[in-house]
Amino acid sequence: MRRHSNSVSVQSLQQGFSMLEILITLVIIAVAMLGTAGLQLNALRLNKGSQFRTQAIFMASDMAERMEANKAAAVAGGYALALSSASSVAATDCSVAACDATKLAAWDNSQWGQSVIGLLPQASWSITQTTAGNPSTYSIVINWIDRSDVKTVNSGGIVDTYTATRTIGN
């Protein structure tokens, strides 16, 4: 009779073991899912940062092409802009009225600045004529703050920058 009571007690000791295995498996799966979610979140953040960098590259190329199209004003220094985060307003709307080279440069700077503001968060920019004369060399600098860096901005956070250089001559 003792044997029979021993086998029953061993069986009753193993009764909760399957439940424990299931709970451990659920914990492992939950940790794996949280890790995957964190990885996805980080990938989305980095993807947005690369999108901003691509926009900055396109905007710098756009301004360089505007300078190439208006070489007279570019060689004369008409595209130089001090560091700014607000778009200037051109006196003449060159999309509806004929403009000379100087007015077209002011119009280009105004339109381009509005585009930068619309595409990049907390953007600022400068266009510096590093070499005057014919040919002229310009340095186009675009700064923005990636949304993932906004927490650190208040404490002097990280500013992302793209710089392009273009030489223009008649």
Side-chain angles (χ1 to χ4, degrees):
M1 281 235 185
R2 272 187 106 127
R3 284 185 174 213
H4 184 50
S5 68
N6 277 343
S7 69
V8 171
S9 66
V10 169
Q11 195 176 34
S12 66
L13 288 175
Q14 293 180 353
Q15 223 169 9
F17 190 69
S18 293
M19 182 62 87
L20 185 60
E21 286 177 337
I22 291 172
L23 289 175
I24 291 171
T25 303
L26 286 175
V27 167
I28 291 171
I29 290 172
V31 169
M33 294 295 277
L34 285 174
T36 303
L39 186 63
Q40 278 289 87
L41 184 64
N42 194 33
L44 287 173
R45 183 180 58 81
L46 292 175
N47 188 27
K48 193 64 171 176
S50 66
Q51 178 186 0
F52 290 144
R53 180 159 298 281
T54 302
Q55 290 293 344
I57 291 168
F58 284 142
M59 294 309 302
S61 295
D62 178 41
M63 179 49 81
E65 289 172 8
R66 290 173 187 248
M67 289 180 196
E68 286 284 343
N70 189 5
K71 290 181 182 183
V75 169
Y79 281 92
L81 292 171
L83 183 65
S84 176
S85 60
S87 178
S88 61
V89 177
T92 305
D93 183 353
C94 293
S95 66
V96 295
C99 292
D100 62 6
T102 305
K103 290 179 182 177
L104 182 59
W107 170 255
D108 285 343
N109 284 340
S110 172
Q111 294 300 301
W112 183 77
Q114 289 174 10
S115 295
V116 172
I117 289 171
L119 293 172
L120 297 172
Q122 299 179 22
S124 62
W125 58 89
S126 67
I127 302 173
T128 308
Q129 187 178 24
T130 57
T131 304
N134 190 8
S136 281
T137 301
Y138 281 89
S139 177
I140 303 166
V141 179
I142 303 173
N143 306 308
W144 71 96
I145 297 173
D146 192 347
R147 290 186 180 129
S148 63
D149 297 334
V150 170
K151 293 177 186 173
T152 59
V153 169
N154 298 332
S155 61
I158 301 167
V159 176
D160 292 321
T161 300
Y162 177 73
T163 303
T165 306
R166 178 64 67 101
T167 301
I168 300 165
N170 282 335

